[in-house]
Amino acid sequence: MNAKKVMGLAVTSVMAASLVAGCGTSSNDTKDNAQGGTDTGKKLTVAMVTDIGGIHDNSFNQSANEGLDKAVKDLGITKKVAESKRAEDYTPNLNSFVKGGNVDLTWGIGFLMADDIKKVAQANPNAKLAIIDSDLGGDIPKNVESVTFNENEGSFLMGVLAAKMSKTHKVGFVGGVKFALIEKFEYGFKAGVKTVDPTAEVTAVYADAFDKPDKGKLLASQLYQQGDDIIFHASGATGDGVFAEAKERGAGYWVIGVDRDQYDLAPKNTLSSMVKRVDNAVYTVAKDLKDGKFEGGKVTTFALKDGGVDYAPTTKNNTPQDVITLMDDYKKQIIDGKIKVPATADEFKNFK
């Protein structure tokens, strides 16, 4: 799969697809070999199981759904979606598509589904599956394609932005759950801030949830109250509460969004968003499937150099051009390999 080739594709939302809420249902077992042998002459069906955030999370689940919508329009596939209400829904939802039949590829959206994807894939070796945000610990079944992103690289640019725009030299980070994936956002952000303003203070807090806007709002209130004037969130739908708090407080209280361009959530309070092109990844794998090029047993990583992560186009709306120019300079340094962005606490400790 050529990540560079597809990153520039725009996402168009098309409502010509079936939506299955809760535990999804379908019929018939897939008959295709797991290694690329899809019959490209037939109309393909691609299914998606969301995590508990759902397809309207203003984040990566929604982005994945938009990628499927584009595949419906451009590739002529049929789409099925099951929205998980709780973690216990993951395996039943996956099985409903894999065992129910008439589904050529089943997506699991989010690292929280890693164990379920692996278990279902191993039990159904002729089914094709894919997962966003997990390499399954490096042990990827031959019928699964894993897709990951270098979130730390895009988050570094958000740190550069925050360090340049903060008036108080105090900025915050709100994470969903403290897992290694979310720490990539945290330490990439901290590294960007440190690079531009070594004296700035970064406070990181976690909501322990990706679907609790009220918790996000409370954490944002606490950070703003202590003097942080910019908050970068990586917390799914929990982040909606961060935007709500900034809007209530008004001018001078800024938010940096994540995954999708979240400018519309608070146009007067959003500096940027660290966009992660989950939509393009989902579309690309669907296209590979249609072209008979699906390849399981591997991980594909989308980086800054591929356009897999970046700052949102709406950054220009509230950010001065000189700051954007500085972000572009650091972006080039990362792409050229001059800056290796930390993704863990240990890497950040040694970052210079």
Side-chain angles (χ1 to χ4, degrees), residues 22-25 49 82 87-98 116 120:
C23 293
T25 59
V49 177
E88 290 78 11
D89 291 339
Y90 296 157
T91 293
N93 281 343
L94 291 167
N95 275 328
S96 72
F97 294 134
V98 169
D116 304 88
V120 171

Side-chain angles (χ1 to χ4, degrees), residues 10-330:
V11 175
T12 304
S13 181
V14 179
M15 299 306 293
S18 61
L19 178 64
V20 183
C23 293
T25 59
S26 56
S27 59
N28 299 330
D29 283 325
T30 179
K31 299 293 192 292
D32 299 332
N33 184 280
Q35 287 298 307
T38 301
D39 177 5
T40 57
K42 71 170 185 173
K43 188 177 181 69
L44 298 175
T45 297
V46 178
M48 178 180 87
V49 177
T50 75
D51 74 1
I52 57 177
I55 62 170
H56 299 296
D57 65 349
N58 291 313
S59 191
F60 64 96
N61 285 290
Q62 187 165 338
S63 182
N65 189 54
E66 290 168 345
L68 277 187
D69 282 341
K70 179 173 174 57
V72 169
K73 179 185 179 184
D74 293 356
L75 307 177
I77 70 164
T78 296
K79 168 185 134 179
K80 295 184 178 181
V81 177
E83 292 188 86
S84 304
K85 305 302 181 184
R86 53 181 186 162
E88 290 78 11
D89 291 339
Y90 296 157
T91 293
N93 281 343
L94 291 167
N95 275 328
S96 72
F97 294 134
V98 169
K99 293 181 179 297
N102 293 329
V103 173
D104 300 284
L105 173 67
T106 301
W107 276 97
I109 308 301
F111 70 98
L112 294 174
M113 226 172 295
D115 290 343
D116 304 88
I117 282 280
K118 184 179 289 189
K119 179 172 63 177
V120 171
Q122 290 171 340
N124 301 274
N126 289 325
K128 296 186 182 73
L129 298 96
I131 185 169
I132 292 290
D133 282 346
S134 177
D135 65 359
L136 302 182
D139 181 22
I140 306 172
K142 294 186 181 299
N143 56 335
V144 176
E145 181 165 354
S146 294
V147 175
T148 63
F149 297 82
N150 286 355
E151 295 93 348
N152 50 317
E153 295 178 348
S155 298
F156 183 96
L157 300 182
M158 301 301 100
V160 171
L161 170 60
K164 288 296 292 184
M165 294 295 291
S166 177
K167 305 298 184 185
T168 64
H169 301 279
K170 297 176 70 175
V171 298
F173 172 83
V174 173
V177 180
K178 195 172 179 62
F179 288 114
L181 172 66
I182 307 304
E183 288 182 331
K184 289 168 68 177
F185 292 89
E186 176 187 344
Y187 291 110
F189 179 65
K190 285 181 173 178
V193 173
K194 177 181 179 180
T195 298
V196 172
D197 183 0
T199 67
E201 178 182 337
V202 183
T203 302
V205 296
Y206 282 81
D208 296 323
F210 292 103
D211 60 344
K212 304 295 183 187
D214 289 347
K215 185 67 177 292
K217 190 174 189 300
L218 174 62
L219 292 174
S221 176
Q222 293 170 348
L223 290 172
Y224 288 137
Q225 194 65 36
Q226 74 177 24
D228 297 34
D229 56 351
I230 300 172
I231 297 174
F232 173 40
H233 92 90
S235 58
T238 296
D240 291 359
V242 178
F243 284 95
E245 181 64 24
K247 285 177 68 175
E248 284 186 14
R249 288 176 176 263
Y253 294 93
W254 296 105
V255 186
I256 296 173
V258 77
D259 293 335
R260 300 174 69 251
D261 188 344
Q262 297 187 311
Y263 175 79
D264 288 343
L265 295 180
K268 295 181 179 179
N269 300 86
T270 303
L271 284 175
S272 184
S273 296
M274 200 292 283
V275 293
K276 186 166 99 172
R277 297 309 300 267
V278 175
D279 52 348
N280 282 344
V282 168
Y283 177 88
T284 300
V285 176
K287 187 175 188 304
D288 285 347
L289 180 73
K290 182 176 177 65
D291 294 341
K293 298 177 181 179
F294 175 88
E295 186 177 353
K298 71 167 189 174
V299 59
T300 299
T301 299
F302 292 85
L304 190 62
K305 66 182 179 181
D306 308 309
V309 294
D310 208 339
Y311 61 82
T314 57
T315 302
K316 66 181 184 296
N317 293 356
N318 288 319
T319 301
Q321 182 56 49
D322 65 304
V323 178
I324 294 176
T325 299
L326 182 65
M327 293 167 68
D328 285 335
D329 177 63
Y330 280 109

